[in-house]
């Protein structure tokens, strides 16, 4: 597994064509490929949009004696762009530069004849010119190409590349009318790092693609062999749930089964995930469900489903989920699952009961309170020390920690970093003494307290980095979730005397391997990647997708839940392709379906709706590129889905448009 997003240049070109779709059907558009590597990319753009393809030659001006170091670039028409920093830094003389430029100009002319023959260059006057390369590093060659094109008086210049540093893309944006960079990898090492296959493009390949583009019928529909392949390999999934034979075949002996969701507010995702989890608990010995929720809130549910605590009903046990977005866990589907898990556990002895745990880190203040409350019972003196250590948070209002993080990051308040680490170490140092008095219950309650102390330490750092910018807060959060999952597996395995098998519930963006998506190109990791790296043969990642329907989501963070219409998926997306298969619901098992895996390994868009849904900016807000078979082991598609039902149904939610297929309330 690598972080490379594109299979090859043709795959990258199809992605760019999707991003440039607003030029489809417009008159007087010309696509120019920068030979040689840019031509296969440009061919897909030109044929995908239905516009003519031509080439614009550019050559790097290599520094004498250090040819790999570019001192500039030269384009047709004698246009030269120099890197003044390199020229001044190496003290290059004008005669030296002229000799290199003359040599490269002769090579430009030779290649021009080789590629185009006697065919004249396309007239660009008054045209929209889309300039395409396979990627940019410094952008010197593209800047030279832009200057050469501008001399030919086009109406508009667009630069489009699959990969470039963010700084280069921004610089080009100031030079042309539009710059489209499909990905901006961070850190950026080279163009080739974005491709699986980055072999050199031969001159004959350039000539062949130019001939093919000239003879292609604009707008001719491609043969849909992809649909035939998918239709032959998809597996039925009634209400999003495959048969036991299929499910157990995918899971095998894996200890970690991560089941995602394409939104935080879709009934079918929650219901199908719960039904699959029930089968894994009943038939395959899974002993825990770990969810994308705060540890103390989920642990209250854990106490209830294991016959502990003071809550009399499942709904009471879900009462800890008060922080936005409460509907993620206070909903009809989780309520039903918690009730079932309690009934299931009541038939088992204490050690065999399955638990319910949270992996997230937002509960800074509540977790601190839980640590103090635990120590009050076992060591009042230690409780007083913990209270003093955590008092450094007292100056910040609210429960989410953002006020503390803002103040600490910008020096306006005290940093609690050392204090919360000292508290965690202190608790761990006294582990045996605290656990001895209470047996199995004592082991669990100490583990609960220790995890809360770890949450406080992680949350303190998370909220500081949210504003301080020292590390990615996303990476810190997902590392914490992975650490919590592995600690939970160790704790439950030690109690049971055998490896613990755990189901994880979280969003696709956390559970699909980030290395197969744009996230990986940006330097972001996630829980799915970390679990795969930690247990490469001992985990399974299962995702969900949908084409349209309704969803429970908010307009913005902290706003009330609404029942929103989900727009039909965008062209060139996984969801649109699955919709065209023509089945209401199905599963694709990439480990056993080689044809589907090969087909979907090209970069496609994938939709991700979180707790906020913004249909007006859907492409920018909710889509990213992915190689689906590398992101997941299997994917379940439900073509039309309905909104998750919150336990507190607000007037805003009630007013939402309800399709006829929306399920009856549980």
């Amino acid at each position: 597994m690598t972080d490379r997003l594109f299979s090859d240049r043709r795959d990258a070109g199809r992605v760019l064509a999707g991003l440039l779709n607003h030029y489809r059907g417009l008159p007087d558009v010309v696509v120019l490929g920068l030979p040689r590597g840019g031509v296969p990319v440009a061919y897909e753009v030109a044929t995908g949009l239905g516009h003519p393809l031509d080439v614009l030659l550019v050559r790097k001006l290599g520094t004498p004696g250090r040819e790999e170091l570019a001192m500039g670039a030269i384009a047709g028409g004698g246009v030269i762009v120099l890197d003044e920093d390199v020229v001044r830094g190496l003290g290059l003389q004008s005669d030296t530069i002229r000799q290199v430029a003359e040599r490269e100009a002769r090579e430009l002319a030779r290649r021009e004849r080789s590629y185009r023959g006697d065919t004249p260059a396309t007239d660009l006057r008054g045209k929209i010119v889309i300039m395409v390369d396979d990627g940019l590093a410094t952008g010197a060659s593209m800047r030279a190409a832009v200057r050469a094109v501008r001399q030919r008086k086009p109406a508009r210049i667009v630069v489009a590349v699959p990969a470039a540093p963010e700084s280069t893309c921004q610089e080009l944006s100031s030079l042309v009318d539009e710059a489209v960079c499909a990905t901006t990898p961070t850190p950026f090492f080279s163009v080739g790092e974005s491709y699986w296959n980055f072999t050199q493009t031969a001159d004959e390949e350039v000539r062949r693609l130019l001939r093919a583009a000239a003879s292609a019928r604009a707008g001719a529909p491609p043969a849909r062999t992809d649909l035939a392949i998918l239709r032959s390999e998809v597996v039925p999934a009634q209400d999003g749930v495959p048969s036991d034979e299929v499910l157990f075949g995918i899971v095998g002996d894996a200890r970690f089964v991560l089941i995602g969701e394409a939104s935080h507010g879709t009934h079918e995702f929650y219901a199908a995930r719960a039904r699959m989890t029930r089968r894994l608990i009943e038939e395959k010995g899974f002993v825990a469900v770990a969810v994308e929720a705060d540890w103390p809130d989920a642990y209250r549910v854990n106490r209830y489903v294991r016959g502990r605590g003071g809550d009399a009903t499942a709904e009471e046990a879900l009462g800890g989920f008060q922080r936005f977005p409460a509907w993620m866990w206070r909903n009809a589907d989780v309520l039903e699952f918690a009730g079932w898990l309690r009934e299931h556990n009541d038939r088992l002895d204490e050690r065999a009961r399955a638990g319910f745990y949270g992996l997230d880190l937002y509960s800074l203040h509540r977790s601190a309170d839980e640590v103090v409350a635990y120590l009050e019972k076992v060591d009042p003196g230690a409780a007083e020390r913990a209270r003093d250590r955590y008092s450094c948070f007292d100056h910040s209002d609210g429960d989410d920690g953002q006020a503390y993080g803002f103040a600490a990051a910008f020096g306006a308040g005290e940093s609690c970093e050392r204090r919360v680490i000292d508290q965690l170490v202190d608790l761990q140092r006294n582990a045996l003494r605290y656990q001895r008095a209470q047996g199995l219950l004592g082991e669990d309650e100490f583990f609960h307290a220790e995890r809360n102390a770890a949450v406080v330490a992680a949350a303190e750092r998370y909220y500081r980095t949210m504003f301080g910018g020292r590390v990615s807060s996303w990476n810190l959060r997902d590392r914490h979730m992975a650490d919590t999952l592995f600690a939970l597996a160790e704790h439950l395995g030690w109690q049971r005397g055998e490896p613990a098998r755990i189901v994880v519930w979280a969003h696709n963006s956390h559970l699909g391997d980030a290395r197969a998506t744009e996230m990986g190109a940006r330097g972001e990791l996630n829980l799915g990647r970390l679990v795969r790296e930690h247990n490469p043969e001992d985990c399974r990642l299962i995702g969900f997708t949908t084409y349209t329907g309704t969803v429970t989501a908010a307009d913005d963070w902290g706003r009330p839940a609404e029942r929103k219409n989900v727009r039909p998926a965008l062209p060139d997306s996984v969801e649109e392709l699955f919709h065209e298969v023509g089945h209401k619901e199905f599963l694709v098992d990439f480990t056993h379906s080689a044809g589907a895996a090969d087909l979907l390994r090209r970069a496609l868009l994938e939709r991700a709706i979180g707790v906020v849904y913004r249909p007006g900016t859907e492409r920018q807000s909710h889509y990213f590129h992915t190689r689906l078979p590398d992101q997941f082991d299997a994917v379940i598609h439900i073509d039309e889905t309905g909104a998750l039902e919150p336990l507190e149904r607000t007037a805003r939610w009630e007013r939402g448009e309800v399709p006829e297929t929306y399920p009856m309330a549980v």
Side-chain angles (χ1 to χ4, degrees):
M1 169 64 71
T2 73
D3 296 343
R4 303 179 182 194
L5 183 61
F6 306 112
S7 298
D8 54 24
R9 292 179 176 88
R10 300 283 292 273
D11 182 29
R14 288 188 287 270
V15 171
L16 274 185
L19 296 176
L20 294 164
N21 195 56
H22 48 293
Y23 291 102
R24 186 191 303 273
L26 295 183
D28 295 327
V29 178
V30 176
V31 178
L32 296 182
L34 273 62
R36 290 176 292 201
V39 174
V41 185
Y43 171 82
E44 295 295 334
V45 173
T47 56
L49 300 181
H51 296 306
L53 172 67
D54 201 351
V55 293
L56 179 74
L57 278 87
V58 180
R59 294 281 294 175
K60 178 181 75 174
L61 298 178
T63 303
R66 302 173 62 182
E67 276 69 20
E68 76 286 352
L69 177 63
M71 61 179 176
I74 182 172
V79 172
I80 297 177
V81 171
L82 295 178
D83 186 326
E84 297 297 341
D85 290 335
V86 173
V87 171
R88 284 196 301 268
L90 297 180
L92 299 174
Q93 300 298 311
S94 57
D95 286 346
T96 301
I97 297 171
R98 186 180 66 256
Q99 291 172 7
V100 174
E102 289 174 349
R103 182 179 69 245
E104 295 300 336
R106 289 191 294 272
E107 178 61 17
L108 278 181
R110 185 196 69 78
R111 291 200 178 190
E112 185 103 18
R113 292 190 298 272
S114 172
Y115 296 152
R116 191 179 285 117
D118 296 329
T119 304
T122 303
D123 182 10
L124 303 182
R125 183 179 296 273
K127 303 284 182 67
I128 298 173
V129 179
I130 302 176
M131 305 173 62
V132 180
D133 204 353
D134 55 8
L136 302 175
T138 64
S141 295
M142 184 60 79
R143 288 196 299 274
V146 167
R147 287 181 57 180
V149 167
R150 201 174 297 283
Q151 289 181 352
R152 295 159 69 177
K153 308 299 182 183
R156 181 176 176 84
I157 297 178
V158 179
V159 169
V161 294
E166 180 68 30
S167 57
T168 301
C169 198
Q170 290 177 352
E171 182 181 356
L172 280 171
S173 296
S174 65
L175 300 177
V176 297
D177 298 286
E178 182 180 3
V180 176
C181 300
T183 62
T184 52
T186 305
F188 189 93
F189 296 111
S190 69
V191 171
E193 289 296 313
S194 292
Y195 294 85
W196 283 14
N197 179 356
F198 198 63
T199 56
Q200 189 174 33
T201 302
D203 285 342
E204 179 53 38
E205 176 72 358
V206 173
R207 290 190 289 268
R208 185 185 68 80
L209 290 174
L210 288 172
R211 290 193 301 268
S215 62
R217 289 178 298 141
R224 295 309 302 269
T225 56
D226 52 356
L227 294 182
I229 292 171
L230 284 175
R231 286 169 182 153
S232 69
E233 296 194 352
V234 299
V235 177
Q238 183 66 37
D239 297 324
V241 181
S243 67
D244 283 355
E245 179 183 4
V246 171
L247 176 62
F248 298 160
I250 292 171
V251 170
D253 296 326
R255 291 175 54 212
F256 300 100
V257 176
L258 285 62
I259 309 179
E261 61 197 22
S263 87
H264 281 318
T266 299
H267 157 72
E268 285 81 359
F269 299 158
Y270 276 67
R273 183 169 59 183
R275 284 182 56 195
M276 287 188 285
T277 302
R278 287 172 59 166
R279 298 303 295 147
L280 293 175
I281 292 173
E282 290 171 328
E283 301 296 333
K284 291 298 177 181
F286 280 73
V287 298
V289 182
V291 305
E292 185 187 341
D294 290 332
W295 178 270
D297 300 338
Y299 204 81
R300 180 172 170 180
V301 179
N302 179 62
R303 287 192 174 111
Y304 169 76
V305 300
R306 300 187 68 182
R308 304 172 182 172
D311 293 313
T313 67
E315 184 166 358
E316 286 183 23
L318 293 171
F321 295 108
Q322 297 297 324
R323 182 182 63 81
F324 177 88
W327 74 81
M328 266 183 66
W329 304 111
R330 284 189 58 77
N331 62 68
D333 294 302
V334 174
L335 177 65
E336 182 182 21
F337 179 79
W340 171 84
L341 190 53
R342 172 61 183 267
E343 293 176 2
H344 170 81
N345 282 338
D346 283 346
R347 299 190 294 269
L348 305 173
D349 63 44
E350 177 67 28
R351 285 191 181 272
R353 293 175 179 176
F356 190 92
Y357 304 89
L359 300 176
D360 227 329
L361 51 55
Y362 290 117
S363 56
L364 188 152
H365 294 284
R366 281 170 294 144
S367 287
D369 291 342
E370 289 286 325
V371 174
V372 173
Y374 170 78
L375 290 173
E376 288 281 13
K377 299 174 186 176
V378 299
D379 189 343
E384 190 59 35
R385 291 193 297 274
R387 190 177 289 109
D388 177 67
R389 285 166 175 154
Y390 291 153
S391 67
C392 63
F393 295 118
D394 289 348
H395 67 273
S396 59
D397 297 327
D399 185 52
D400 63 2
Q402 292 193 43
Y404 161 75
F406 184 85
F410 292 103
E414 179 182 10
S415 170
C416 302
E417 182 178 14
R418 184 69 258 164
R419 292 188 176 200
V420 298
I421 293 174
D422 287 346
Q423 181 54 50
L424 176 59
V425 171
D426 196 13
L427 192 65
Q428 292 170 334
R429 186 182 296 120
N430 290 282
L432 288 178
R433 181 163 64 91
Y434 291 158
Q435 293 179 64
R436 281 174 182 162
Q438 295 175 290
L440 178 63
L441 180 61
E443 294 168 5
D444 280 344
E445 290 304 305
F446 173 80
F447 182 68
H448 172 55
E450 181 189 38
R451 283 294 96 201
N452 274 305
V455 167
V456 176
E460 186 276 334
R461 187 178 176 210
Y462 173 83
Y463 286 116
R464 272 191 295 110
T465 58
M466 180 185 290
F467 299 101
R470 288 186 292 276
V471 298
S472 166
S473 57
W474 172 278
N475 287 1
L476 192 155
R477 182 184 172 206
D478 275 58
R479 284 191 185 280
H480 170 78
M481 288 199 282
D483 291 343
T484 303
L485 177 62
F486 299 145
L488 176 63
E490 183 178 3
H491 172 70
L492 296 177
W494 180 81
Q495 282 191 334
R496 287 163 170 75
E498 62 181 8
R501 306 187 77 184
I502 301 174
V503 179
V504 179
W505 294 358
H507 197 279
N508 284 352
S509 57
H510 290 291
L511 299 192
D513 193 322
R515 291 172 292 182
T517 74
E518 286 184 64
M519 293 171 60
R522 293 195 300 264
E524 294 180 352
L525 48 78
N526 66 355
L527 178 59
R529 169 181 176 170
L530 294 170
V531 173
R532 267 190 175 170
E533 289 178 336
H534 191 269
N535 299 81
E537 304 299 326
D538 211 13
C539 69
R540 301 292 183 271
L541 314 182
I542 302 173
F544 276 98
T545 61
T546 187
Y547 177 74
T548 191
T550 58
V551 66
T552 297
D555 284 334
D556 210 341
W557 187 264
R559 302 292 294 170
E562 298 184 29
R563 188 164 21 145
K564 293 170 165 282
N565 291 326
V566 177
R567 290 187 173 185
L570 293 179
D572 298 315
S573 68
V574 169
E575 293 84 359
E576 185 202 46
L577 180 59
F578 284 168
H579 171 69
E580 292 178 342
V581 170
H583 298 320
K584 178 182 176 183
E585 53 211 5
F586 56 83
L587 177 144
V588 185
D589 176 4
F590 296 121
T591 60
H592 299 101
S593 301
D598 289 342
L599 169 68
L600 292 168
R601 192 155 276 120
R602 59 191 173 99
L604 290 169
L605 291 174
E606 181 184 333
R607 178 160 54 192
I609 300 174
V611 296
V612 173
Y613 182 42
R614 298 188 176 106
T617 58
E618 190 165 48
R619 172 61 183 89
Q620 300 92 329
S621 300
H622 300 291
Y623 280 90
F624 59 94
H625 283 102
T626 183
R627 302 186 313 272
L628 204 66
D630 299 314
Q631 185 186 9
F632 295 106
D633 296 298
V635 169
I636 296 168
H637 179 75
I638 306 175
D639 206 57
E640 185 170 351
T641 51
L644 191 69
E645 182 185 340
L647 295 185
E648 290 77 30
R649 295 169 58 151
T650 64
R652 279 176 172 267
W653 192 88
E654 293 284 3
R655 285 197 300 269
E657 293 182 12
V658 186
E660 292 181 357
T661 53
Y662 183 73
M664 296 296 291
V666 177

